Amino acid sequence: MTAYRFLHSSDLHLGRAFGNFPEGIRHRLREARHGAIGRLAAAARNGGATTILLAGDTFDAETPAPDTLRQALTAMREAADLTWVLLPGNHDSLAATELWRRIATDGPANLRAMTLDTPVELAPGVHLLPAPCTQRRPGRDLTEAMSAATPAGTRRIGLGHGAITDFSGEEGATGIIPPDRAQRSGLDYLALGDWHGQLQVSPTTWYSGTPEPDAFKHQGPGAALLVTLDGPMPQVAPVEVASLCWLRPQIEVLPGEDATARVAALLPKAGARDHLVRLTLKGRLPLAERAALEADLAHRAPDFGWFAADLTALAVEALPEDLDQIDRAGALRQAAEALLAEAGDTSLSQADRDTASSALARLYAFAQEVRA
């Protein structure tokens, strides 16, 4: 039997609004998701694949904006040397009848929409067994359809969208895909979507993850999976395709350390504009070092596509001479002493103590700015 190779991806979520980000980066995030179509096409060509399987949630909503849908179909049409296979996911389920009607009427000839759960021949000797999402929460295991019969000796590829059993005790929960679905249904490979991080469930079952990350939840770059069926087990190779990188570094610092140098060592040395960073700092620092660190972070932030630093768990150490740098007497000195007392008061919650530490550091930095 000849080898068969394809690209497995999912969760493009075209048209996602990203309303929790500033407008400047929102635009870039939306464009990056649309650009993923072209990057997937390039990855398929470079890997010697002619078919791209999209395992659900190609669109973020059941009613994507007309330009979002049209531009996506146009981009796939322009990659005419490839076959695009679209599976309805929970965000763009079959309940979106108008969406799938438009795809059927306006889609290019090289696009195949899997709106039925019956086997489809992808190539001679290769059958796809799709499990399209009927609605946002189907309430049953749709991948049971993958046990349908195909001609003897053919390769069987499952294409589904949903959660795998996590053995949390909810045995038999509805709508959950069993982790041994590939074995139960005699699949050579099960291509799944829904989980936005790349995940191997078994040698024959993978989540591709989203090709363009959309949150800090999952570590690692956005990628697709180049899958080759040629032997008893599939050969699966991750291929990076993302244009933006999401980082969430965490650092614990102590007095006397060069905190700014440690932060600089963890941040990218080039291409900062293409990175979104959520930095978390823990530990403790003297007031002067904390103020210097905050100033350094404020200076670095505009270099990045998006940058945020969480210093709420970074405690401050203050000596009387440090408070003298705020004020030697008067209301500011009283405020500084009150904040210092709260920061060290073990009867308060950690959140309140962290807030007091942060406020004291801000007061110190403000006083230095005024003096300058």
Side-chain angles (χ1 to χ4, degrees), residues 74-334:
T74 298
M76 293 178 189
R77 179 181 291 108
E78 290 173 352
D81 55 323
L82 304 172
T83 297
W84 300 84
V85 179
L86 270 62
L87 181 81
N90 62 314
H91 279 253
D92 52 9
S93 73
L94 288 174
T97 54
E98 178 60 16
L99 169 62
W100 293 100
R101 185 195 68 78
R102 289 284 306 279
I103 291 174
T105 57
D106 300 343
N110 61 327
L111 185 155
R112 303 179 71 174
M114 298 293 105
T115 56
L116 300 175
D117 62 0
T118 52
V120 174
E121 187 176 49
L122 290 179
V126 180
H127 277 77
L128 183 72
L129 294 109
C133 286
T134 54
Q135 53 192 352
R136 194 174 185 89
R137 295 178 181 84
R140 61 188 179 89
D141 176 19
L142 300 172
T143 65
E144 290 180 350
M146 295 178 184
S147 296
T150 55
T154 59
R155 300 190 189 278
R156 293 165 55 87
I157 302 170
L159 185 63
H161 187 93
I164 285 282
T165 302
D166 61 4
F167 302 107
S168 62
E170 298 183 25
E171 197 65 32
T174 58
I176 298 297
I177 301 170
D180 61 347
R181 169 53 64 200
Q183 181 180 1
R184 292 190 192 188
S185 297
L187 304 175
D188 294 279
Y189 182 83
L190 175 53
L192 290 174
D194 188 39
W195 187 247
H196 286 202
Q198 200 167 94
L199 177 65
Q200 179 183 8
V201 179
S202 74
T204 55
T205 302
W206 286 72
Y207 284 94
S208 64
T210 177
E212 189 67 47
D214 52 13
F216 292 99
K217 182 176 181 178
H218 303 286
Q219 293 282 35
L225 297 172
L226 187 66
V227 183
T228 304
L229 302 181
D230 186 20
M233 288 293 168
Q235 302 166 32
V236 183
V239 182
E240 292 186 18
V241 293
S243 63
L244 299 176
C245 183
W246 298 61
L247 302 177
R248 50 176 186 177
Q250 297 188 21
I251 309 174
E252 186 162 353
V253 294
L254 295 172
E257 297 182 343
D258 190 340
T260 58
R262 290 194 59 195
V263 168
L266 281 182
L267 295 177
K269 303 300 184 292
R273 184 176 183 272
D274 296 328
H275 288 75
L276 291 86
V277 179
R278 176 176 288 164
L279 173 67
T280 301
L281 284 133
K282 300 179 179 180
R284 66 185 192 279
L285 286 176
L287 268 176
E289 293 182 26
R290 163 80 177 241
L293 175 61
E294 289 199 21
D296 180 74
L297 294 176
H299 175 73
R300 293 179 183 276
D303 292 334
F304 294 87
W306 184 85
F307 186 94
D310 181 2
L311 281 68
T312 55
L314 184 61
V316 294
E317 293 183 350
L319 300 173
E321 53 265 34
D322 294 323
L323 299 189
D324 289 344
Q325 296 296 314
I326 297 174
D327 207 343
R328 293 183 179 276
L332 283 181
R333 177 59 180 245
Q334 292 175 10

